[in-house]
Amino acid sequence: MAVSVRVPTILRTYTGGESEVSANGATLADVLDDLDATYPGIKGRILDESGQLRRFVNVYVGNDDVRFLDELATATPDGVQVSVIPAVAGG
């Protein structure tokens, strides 16, 4: 399944400045593996040392937050957009 991945500014150093890239995979985990094969190191910025989504990184498949779906096992239908969005805090 080919998907597009929106890359936040902070991770664009891995994608050569590209804000949107393509990746393949039937699940979010597959997409992240494929993304890391093309852009080494980016997966480590999205997942923690235990292989789970980092606390301050939100990932959406389409319009849905994967934390309310199946997290890394969330299906990524062909053509869907995956968005990686760092959490913002402040007062």
Side-chain angles (χ1 to χ4, degrees), residues 1-2 10 14 17-22 27 34 38 44 46 48-49 52-54 60 62 64 69 71 77 79 81:
M1 311 283 176
I10 195 166
Y14 293 94
E18 294 294 322
S19 62
E20 189 168 318
V21 297
S22 295
T27 66
D34 187 58
T38 306
I46 299 170
D48 65 19
E49 296 76 22
Q52 300 302 308
L53 291 172
R54 289 188 178 276
Y60 289 79
D64 299 313
L69 299 173
E71 299 214 3
Q81 185 170 63

Side-chain angles (χ1 to χ4, degrees), residues 4-9 12 15-21 81-82 84:
S4 62
V5 180
R6 295 184 67 195
V7 180
T9 303
R12 290 181 191 163
T15 61
E18 294 294 322
S19 62
E20 189 168 318
V21 297
Q81 185 170 63
V82 174
V84 178

Side-chain angles (χ1 to χ4, degrees), residues 28-49:
L28 178 59
D30 295 340
V31 167
L32 293 177
D33 285 343
D34 187 58
L35 196 63
D36 200 63
T38 306
Y39 307 104
I42 195 167
K43 182 177 160 183
R45 302 291 296 188
I46 299 170
L47 303 181
D48 65 19
E49 296 76 22

